[in-house]
Amino acid sequence: QVQLVESGGGLVQAGGSLRLSCATSGRTFSRYAMGWFRQAPGKEREFVAVISWNGGSTNIADSVKGRFTISRDNAKNTVYLQMNSLKPEDTAIYYCATTNRFLSTIYTEYDYWGQGTQVTVSS
């Protein structure tokens, strides 16, 4: 059974930082690209970042480029999202997911998802 478990969300003031983690099990983690998406209330799920199976390539959404960084540790079966200079508009539930598509930004191309972790940025 494939499981993805996000952690690291919380409440932070604007300008602050958080690091999200996504621990996986039940699948050979190193074979798959890993992505982060987010969804704010009343809005559609939005692509944030994706990293290739070996960490050699990444794609970051323009809305967070320069502030967010994605990384992975295949020995720990974990992917990370470092979020700096947070803004109130970053407030959302953040989800990690797996895909066998190279650097996909389309959420329908991801097959397994975590339960999400809430990030709230106060102004």
Side-chain angles (χ1 to χ4, degrees):
Q1 181 180 0
V2 179
Q3 288 191 316
L4 289 77
V5 180
E6 301 97 335
S7 60
L11 174 64
V12 64
Q13 288 189 332
S17 298
L18 285 173
R19 188 175 83 151
L20 305 184
S21 299
C22 173
T24 72
S25 61
R27 165 176 274 198
T28 305
F29 178 74
S30 60
R31 292 182 181 176
Y32 297 90
M34 296 294 299
W36 287 96
F37 290 77
R38 65 186 182 185
Q39 189 164 19
K43 295 188 176 181
E44 292 190 353
R45 193 161 297 192
E46 175 189 19
F47 166 75
V48 176
V50 59
I51 188 166
S52 62
W53 65 274
N54 64 352
S57 300
T58 63
N59 187 6
I60 309 293
D62 287 343
S63 59
V64 303
K65 193 169 292 183
R67 300 188 295 122
F68 290 14
T69 304
I70 187 171
S71 62
R72 67 190 293 162
D73 185 338
N74 285 349
K76 295 182 178 180
N77 293 342
T78 302
V79 62
Y80 305 97
L81 186 68
Q82 178 66 44
M83 306 186 296
N84 299 328
S85 302
L86 283 160
K87 304 176 181 180
E89 51 263 43
D90 295 319
T91 295
I93 299 174
Y94 283 71
Y95 301 89
C96 67
T98 72
T99 181
N100 57 11
R101 303 291 189 100
F102 183 70
L103 298 183
S104 173
T105 64
I106 304 171
Y107 76 86
T108 55
E109 294 183 345
Y110 286 74
D111 48 5
Y112 291 97
W113 292 80
Q115 83 289 348
T117 186
Q118 177 72 48
V119 171
T120 303
V121 184
S122 63
S123 57

Coordinates of all heavy atoms in Angstrom, one line a residue, residues 27-92:
R27 N 6.2 2.1 -2.1 CA 6.6 2.2 -3.6 C 8.1 2.5 -3.6 O 8.7 3.1 -2.7 CB 5.8 3.3 -4.2 CG 6.3 3.8 -5.5 CD 5.4 4.9 -6.1 NE 4.3 4.3 -6.8 CZ 3.6 4.9 -7.7 NH1 3.8 6.2 -8.0 NH2 2.6 4.4 -8.4
T28 N 8.7 2.1 -4.7 CA 10.2 2.4 -4.8 C 10.3 3.9 -5.1 O 10.2 4.3 -6.3 CB 10.8 1.6 -6.0 OG1 10.5 0.2 -5.7 CG2 12.3 1.8 -6.0
F29 N 10.5 4.6 -4.1 CA 10.5 6.1 -4.1 C 11.4 6.6 -5.2 O 11.0 7.6 -5.9 CB 10.9 6.6 -2.7 CG 11.0 8.1 -2.6 CD1 9.9 8.8 -2.5 CD2 12.2 8.7 -2.5 CE1 9.9 10.2 -2.4 CE2 12.3 10.1 -2.4 CZ 11.2 10.8 -2.3
S30 N 12.6 6.1 -5.3 CA 13.6 6.7 -6.2 C 13.2 6.5 -7.7 O 13.9 7.1 -8.5 CB 14.9 6.1 -5.9 OG 14.9 4.7 -6.1
R31 N 12.2 5.8 -8.0 CA 11.8 5.6 -9.4 C 10.9 6.7 -9.9 O 10.6 6.8 -11.1 CB 11.1 4.3 -9.6 CG 12.1 3.1 -9.4 CD 11.3 1.8 -9.7 NE 12.2 0.6 -9.6 CZ 11.8 -0.6 -9.7 NH1 10.5 -0.9 -9.9 NH2 12.6 -1.6 -9.5
Y32 N 10.3 7.5 -9.0 CA 9.3 8.4 -9.4 C 9.6 9.9 -9.1 O 10.3 10.2 -8.1 CB 8.0 8.1 -8.6 CG 7.5 6.7 -9.0 CD1 7.9 5.6 -8.2 CD2 6.6 6.5 -10.0 CE1 7.5 4.3 -8.5 CE2 6.2 5.2 -10.4 CZ 6.6 4.1 -9.6 OH 6.2 2.9 -9.9
A33 N 9.1 10.7 -10.0 CA 9.1 12.2 -9.7 C 8.1 12.5 -8.6 O 7.1 11.8 -8.4 CB 8.8 13.0 -10.9
M34 N 8.4 13.5 -7.8 CA 7.6 13.9 -6.7 C 7.2 15.4 -6.9 O 8.1 16.2 -7.2 CB 8.4 13.7 -5.4 CG 8.7 12.3 -5.0 SD 7.3 11.3 -4.7 CE 6.6 12.1 -3.3
G35 N 6.0 15.7 -6.6 CA 5.5 17.0 -6.8 C 4.8 17.5 -5.5 O 4.4 16.8 -4.7
W36 N 4.7 18.9 -5.5 CA 3.9 19.6 -4.4 C 2.9 20.4 -5.1 O 3.2 21.1 -6.1 CB 4.8 20.5 -3.6 CG 5.7 19.8 -2.6 CD1 7.0 19.4 -2.8 CD2 5.4 19.3 -1.3 NE1 7.5 18.8 -1.7 CE2 6.5 18.7 -0.7 CE3 4.2 19.4 -0.5 CZ2 6.5 18.2 0.6 CZ3 4.2 18.9 0.8 CH2 5.4 18.3 1.3
F37 N 1.7 20.3 -4.6 CA 0.6 21.1 -5.1 C 0.0 21.8 -3.9 O 0.2 21.4 -2.7 CB -0.5 20.3 -5.8 CG -0.1 19.7 -7.1 CD1 0.8 18.7 -7.2 CD2 -0.5 20.3 -8.3 CE1 1.2 18.2 -8.4 CE2 -0.2 19.8 -9.5 CZ 0.7 18.8 -9.6
R38 N -0.9 22.8 -4.1 CA -1.6 23.5 -3.0 C -3.0 23.8 -3.4 O -3.2 24.0 -4.6 CB -0.8 24.7 -2.5 CG -0.7 25.8 -3.5 CD 0.2 27.0 -3.0 NE 0.2 28.1 -3.9 CZ 1.0 29.2 -3.7 NH1 1.8 29.2 -2.6 NH2 1.0 30.1 -4.6
Q39 N -3.8 24.0 -2.4 CA -5.2 24.3 -2.7 C -5.7 25.2 -1.6 O -5.7 24.9 -0.4 CB -6.1 23.1 -2.8 CG -7.5 23.4 -3.3 CD -8.2 22.2 -3.8 OE1 -7.9 21.0 -3.5 NE2 -9.3 22.4 -4.6
A40 N -6.1 26.4 -2.0 CA -6.7 27.4 -1.1 C -8.2 27.3 -1.2 O -8.8 26.8 -2.2 CB -6.2 28.8 -1.5
P41 N -8.9 27.7 -0.1 CA -10.4 27.6 -0.1 C -11.0 28.3 -1.3 O -10.7 29.4 -1.6 CB -10.7 28.3 1.2 CG -9.5 28.2 2.1 CD -8.4 28.3 1.1
G42 N -11.9 27.6 -2.0 CA -12.6 28.1 -3.1 C -11.8 28.2 -4.4 O -12.2 28.7 -5.4
K43 N -10.5 27.7 -4.4 CA -9.7 27.7 -5.5 C -9.3 26.3 -6.0 O -9.4 25.3 -5.3 CB -8.4 28.5 -5.3 CG -8.7 30.0 -5.0 CD -7.4 30.7 -4.9 CE -7.6 32.2 -4.7 NZ -6.3 33.0 -4.6
E44 N -8.9 26.2 -7.3 CA -8.5 24.9 -7.8 C -7.1 24.6 -7.3 O -6.3 25.4 -6.8 CB -8.5 25.0 -9.3 CG -9.9 25.1 -9.9 CD -9.8 24.9 -11.4 OE1 -8.7 24.8 -12.0 OE2 -10.9 24.9 -12.0
R45 N -6.8 23.2 -7.3 CA -5.5 22.8 -6.9 C -4.5 23.4 -7.9 O -4.6 23.3 -9.1 CB -5.5 21.3 -6.9 CG -4.2 20.7 -6.3 CD -4.5 19.2 -5.9 NE -5.5 19.1 -4.9 CZ -5.8 18.0 -4.3 NH1 -5.0 16.9 -4.5 NH2 -6.8 17.9 -3.4
E46 N -3.4 23.9 -7.3 CA -2.3 24.6 -8.1 C -1.0 23.9 -7.9 O -0.6 23.5 -6.8 CB -2.3 26.0 -7.5 CG -1.2 26.9 -8.1 CD -1.0 28.2 -7.3 OE1 -1.4 28.3 -6.1 OE2 -0.4 29.1 -7.9
F47 N -0.3 23.8 -9.1 CA 1.0 23.2 -9.1 C 2.0 24.2 -8.3 O 1.9 25.4 -8.5 CB 1.5 23.0 -10.5 CG 3.0 22.8 -10.6 CD1 3.5 21.6 -10.3 CD2 3.8 23.8 -11.1 CE1 4.9 21.4 -10.4 CE2 5.2 23.6 -11.2 CZ 5.7 22.4 -10.8
V48 N 2.9 23.6 -7.5 CA 3.9 24.4 -6.8 C 5.3 24.0 -7.3 O 6.1 24.9 -7.7 CB 3.8 24.2 -5.3 CG1 4.9 24.9 -4.6 CG2 2.4 24.6 -4.8
A49 N 5.6 22.7 -7.2 CA 7.0 22.3 -7.6 C 7.0 20.8 -7.9 O 6.2 20.1 -7.3 CB 8.0 22.7 -6.5
V50 N 8.0 20.4 -8.6 CA 8.2 19.0 -8.9 C 9.7 18.7 -9.0 O 10.5 19.6 -9.5 CB 7.5 18.6 -10.2 CG1 7.9 19.3 -11.4 CG2 7.6 17.1 -10.4
I51 N 10.1 17.5 -8.7 CA 11.5 17.1 -8.7 C 11.6 15.8 -9.4 O 10.8 14.9 -9.1 CB 12.2 17.2 -7.3 CG1 13.7 16.9 -7.4 CG2 11.5 16.2 -6.4 CD1 14.4 17.3 -6.1
S52 N 12.6 15.6 -10.2 CA 12.8 14.3 -10.9 C 13.2 13.2 -10.0 O 13.6 13.5 -8.8 CB 13.8 14.5 -12.0 OG 15.1 14.8 -11.5
W53 N 13.2 12.0 -10.5 CA 13.5 10.8 -9.7 C 14.8 10.9 -8.9 O 14.9 10.4 -7.8 CB 13.4 9.6 -10.5 CG 14.4 9.5 -11.5 CD1 14.4 10.0 -12.8 CD2 15.7 8.8 -11.4 NE1 15.6 9.7 -13.5 CE2 16.4 9.0 -12.6 CE3 16.3 8.1 -10.4 CZ2 17.7 8.5 -12.8 CZ3 17.6 7.5 -10.6 CH2 18.2 7.7 -11.8
N54 N 15.8 11.5 -9.6 CA 17.1 11.5 -9.0 C 17.5 12.8 -8.4 O 18.6 13.1 -7.9 CB 18.2 11.1 -10.0 CG 18.3 12.0 -11.1 OD1 17.5 12.9 -11.3 ND2 19.3 11.8 -12.0
G55 N 16.5 13.8 -8.4 CA 16.8 15.1 -7.9 C 17.6 16.0 -8.8 O 17.9 17.1 -8.5
G56 N 17.9 15.5 -10.0 CA 18.7 16.3 -10.9 C 18.0 17.4 -11.7 O 18.6 18.4 -12.2
S57 N 16.7 17.4 -11.7 CA 15.9 18.4 -12.4 C 14.7 18.8 -11.5 O 14.1 18.0 -10.8 CB 15.4 17.9 -13.7 OG 16.4 17.5 -14.6
T58 N 14.4 20.1 -11.6 CA 13.2 20.6 -10.9 C 12.4 21.6 -11.8 O 13.0 22.1 -12.7 CB 13.6 21.3 -9.6 OG1 14.4 22.5 -9.9 CG2 14.4 20.4 -8.6
N59 N 11.2 21.8 -11.4 CA 10.4 22.8 -12.1 C 9.6 23.5 -10.9 O 8.9 22.8 -10.1 CB 9.4 22.1 -13.1 CG 8.7 23.2 -13.9 OD1 8.9 24.4 -13.8 ND2 7.7 22.7 -14.7
I60 N 9.7 24.8 -10.9 CA 9.0 25.6 -9.8 C 8.0 26.5 -10.5 O 8.3 27.2 -11.5 CB 10.1 26.4 -9.1 CG1 11.2 25.5 -8.6 CG2 9.4 27.1 -7.9 CD1 10.9 24.4 -7.6
A61 N 6.9 26.6 -9.9 CA 5.9 27.6 -10.4 C 6.4 29.0 -10.3 O 7.1 29.3 -9.3 CB 4.6 27.4 -9.6
D62 N 6.0 29.8 -11.2 CA 6.4 31.2 -11.3 C 6.0 31.9 -10.0 O 6.7 32.8 -9.5 CB 5.8 31.9 -12.5 CG 6.5 31.4 -13.8 OD1 7.6 30.9 -13.7 OD2 5.9 31.7 -14.9
S63 N 4.9 31.6 -9.4 CA 4.3 32.3 -8.3 C 5.2 32.1 -7.0 O 5.1 32.9 -6.1 CB 2.9 31.8 -8.0 OG 2.9 30.4 -7.7
V64 N 6.0 31.1 -7.0 CA 6.9 30.8 -5.8 C 8.4 30.8 -6.2 O 9.2 30.6 -5.3 CB 6.4 29.5 -5.1 CG1 5.0 29.6 -4.7 CG2 6.7 28.3 -6.0
K65 N 8.7 31.0 -7.4 CA 10.1 30.9 -7.9 C 10.9 31.9 -7.1 O 10.5 33.1 -7.0 CB 10.2 31.1 -9.4 CG 11.5 30.7 -10.0 CD 11.4 30.6 -11.5 CE 10.5 29.5 -12.0 NZ 10.4 29.4 -13.5
G66 N 12.1 31.5 -6.7 CA 13.0 32.3 -5.9 C 12.7 32.3 -4.4 O 13.5 32.8 -3.7
R67 N 11.5 31.8 -4.0 CA 11.2 31.7 -2.6 C 11.1 30.2 -2.1 O 11.4 30.0 -1.0 CB 9.9 32.4 -2.4 CG 9.8 33.8 -2.8 CD 8.5 34.5 -2.3 NE 7.4 34.0 -3.0 CZ 6.3 33.4 -2.3 NH1 6.3 33.4 -1.0 NH2 5.3 33.0 -3.0
F68 N 10.6 29.3 -3.0 CA 10.5 27.9 -2.6 C 11.5 27.1 -3.3 O 11.9 27.3 -4.5 CB 9.1 27.4 -3.0 CG 7.9 28.0 -2.2 CD1 8.1 29.1 -1.4 CD2 6.7 27.4 -2.4 CE1 7.0 29.6 -0.7 CE2 5.6 27.9 -1.7 CZ 5.7 29.0 -0.8
T69 N 12.0 26.0 -2.6 CA 12.9 25.1 -3.1 C 12.4 23.7 -2.9 O 12.0 23.4 -1.7 CB 14.3 25.3 -2.5 OG1 14.7 26.6 -2.7 CG2 15.3 24.3 -3.2
I70 N 12.5 22.8 -3.9 CA 12.1 21.4 -3.7 C 13.4 20.6 -3.7 O 14.3 20.8 -4.4 CB 11.1 20.9 -4.7 CG1 10.6 19.5 -4.4 CG2 11.7 21.0 -6.1 CD1 9.5 19.1 -5.3
S71 N 13.4 19.6 -2.8 CA 14.6 18.6 -2.8 C 14.1 17.3 -2.3 O 12.9 17.1 -1.9 CB 15.6 19.2 -1.8 OG 15.1 19.3 -0.5
R72 N 14.9 16.3 -2.4 CA 14.5 14.9 -2.0 C 15.7 14.2 -1.5 O 16.9 14.5 -1.8 CB 13.9 14.2 -3.2 CG 14.8 13.8 -4.3 CD 14.1 13.3 -5.5 NE 13.4 12.0 -5.2 CZ 12.4 11.5 -5.9 NH1 11.9 12.2 -7.0 NH2 12.0 10.3 -5.6
D73 N 15.5 13.2 -0.6 CA 16.5 12.3 -0.1 C 16.0 10.9 -0.3 O 15.1 10.4 0.4 CB 16.6 12.6 1.4 CG 17.8 11.8 2.0 OD1 18.1 10.8 1.5 OD2 18.3 12.2 3.1
N74 N 16.5 10.3 -1.3 CA 16.0 9.0 -1.7 C 16.4 7.9 -0.6 O 15.7 6.9 -0.5 CB 16.6 8.6 -3.1 CG 15.9 9.3 -4.2 OD1 14.8 9.9 -4.0 ND2 16.4 9.2 -5.4
A75 N 17.4 8.1 0.1 CA 17.7 7.2 1.2 C 16.7 7.2 2.3 O 16.5 6.2 3.0 CB 19.1 7.6 1.8
K76 N 16.0 8.4 2.4 CA 15.0 8.5 3.5 C 13.6 8.5 2.9 O 12.6 8.6 3.6 CB 15.1 9.8 4.2 CG 16.4 9.9 5.0 CD 16.5 11.2 5.8 CE 17.8 11.3 6.6 NZ 17.9 12.5 7.4
N77 N 13.5 8.2 1.6 CA 12.1 8.2 0.9 C 11.3 9.5 1.2 O 10.1 9.4 1.5 CB 11.4 7.0 1.3 CG 12.0 5.7 0.8 OD1 12.8 5.7 -0.1 ND2 11.6 4.6 1.4
T78 N 12.0 10.6 1.2 CA 11.3 11.8 1.6 C 11.6 12.9 0.6 O 12.7 13.1 0.1 CB 11.8 12.2 3.0 OG1 11.5 11.2 4.0 CG2 11.1 13.5 3.5
V79 N 10.6 13.7 0.4 CA 10.7 14.9 -0.4 C 10.4 16.1 0.5 O 9.6 16.1 1.4 CB 9.8 14.9 -1.7 CG1 8.3 14.8 -1.3 CG2 10.1 16.1 -2.6
Y80 N 11.1 17.3 0.2 CA 10.9 18.5 1.0 C 10.5 19.7 0.2 O 10.8 19.7 -1.0 CB 12.3 18.8 1.7 CG 12.9 17.6 2.5 CD1 13.8 16.8 1.9 CD2 12.4 17.4 3.8 CE1 14.4 15.8 2.7 CE2 13.0 16.4 4.5 CZ 13.9 15.5 4.0 OH 14.4 14.5 4.7
L81 N 9.9 20.6 0.8 CA 9.6 21.9 0.2 C 10.0 23.0 1.2 O 9.4 23.1 2.2 CB 8.1 22.0 -0.1 CG 7.7 23.3 -0.9 CD1 8.3 23.2 -2.3 CD2 6.2 23.4 -1.0
Q82 N 11.1 23.6 0.9 CA 11.5 24.7 1.7 C 10.9 26.0 1.2 O 11.0 26.4 0.1 CB 13.1 24.9 1.6 CG 13.6 26.1 2.4 CD 13.4 25.9 3.9 OE1 13.7 24.8 4.5 NE2 13.0 26.9 4.6
M83 N 10.1 26.7 2.1 CA 9.4 27.9 1.8 C 9.9 29.0 2.5 O 9.8 29.1 3.8 CB 7.9 27.6 2.1 CG 7.3 26.3 1.4 SD 5.5 26.2 1.6 CE 5.4 26.0 3.4
N84 N 10.4 30.0 1.8 CA 11.0 31.2 2.4 C 10.2 32.4 2.0 O 9.4 32.4 1.0 CB 12.4 31.4 2.1 CG 13.3 30.3 2.5 OD1 13.1 29.6 3.6 ND2 14.3 30.0 1.8
S85 N 10.3 33.5 2.7 CA 9.6 34.8 2.4 C 8.1 34.5 2.1 O 7.6 35.0 1.1 CB 10.3 35.4 1.1 OG 11.7 35.6 1.4
L86 N 7.5 33.8 3.0 CA 6.1 33.5 2.8 C 5.2 34.7 2.8 O 5.5 35.7 3.5 CB 5.7 32.5 3.9 CG 6.2 31.1 3.7 CD1 6.1 30.3 5.0 CD2 5.3 30.4 2.6
K87 N 4.2 34.6 2.0 CA 3.2 35.7 1.8 C 1.8 35.1 2.2 O 1.6 33.9 2.1 CB 3.2 36.1 0.4 CG 4.5 36.6 -0.2 CD 4.4 36.9 -1.7 CE 5.7 37.3 -2.2 NZ 5.6 37.6 -3.7
P88 N 0.9 36.0 2.6 CA -0.5 35.6 2.9 C -1.1 34.8 1.8 O -1.9 33.8 2.1 CB -1.2 36.9 3.2 CG -0.1 37.8 3.7 CD 1.1 37.5 2.9
E89 N -0.8 35.1 0.6 CA -1.4 34.4 -0.6 C -0.8 32.9 -0.7 O -1.3 32.2 -1.5 CB -1.2 35.1 -1.9 CG 0.2 35.6 -2.2 CD 0.5 37.0 -1.7 OE1 0.0 37.4 -0.6 OE2 1.1 37.8 -2.5
D90 N 0.2 32.6 0.1 CA 0.7 31.2 0.1 C -0.2 30.3 1.0 O 0.0 29.1 1.0 CB 2.1 31.2 0.6 CG 3.1 31.8 -0.4 OD1 2.9 31.7 -1.6 OD2 4.0 32.5 0.1
T91 N -1.1 30.9 1.7 CA -2.0 30.1 2.6 C -2.8 29.1 1.8 O -3.5 29.5 0.8 CB -2.9 31.1 3.4 OG1 -2.1 31.9 4.2 CG2 -3.9 30.3 4.2
A92 N -2.7 27.9 2.2 CA -3.4 26.8 1.5 C -3.1 25.5 2.2 O -2.2 25.4 3.1 CB -2.9 26.7 0.0

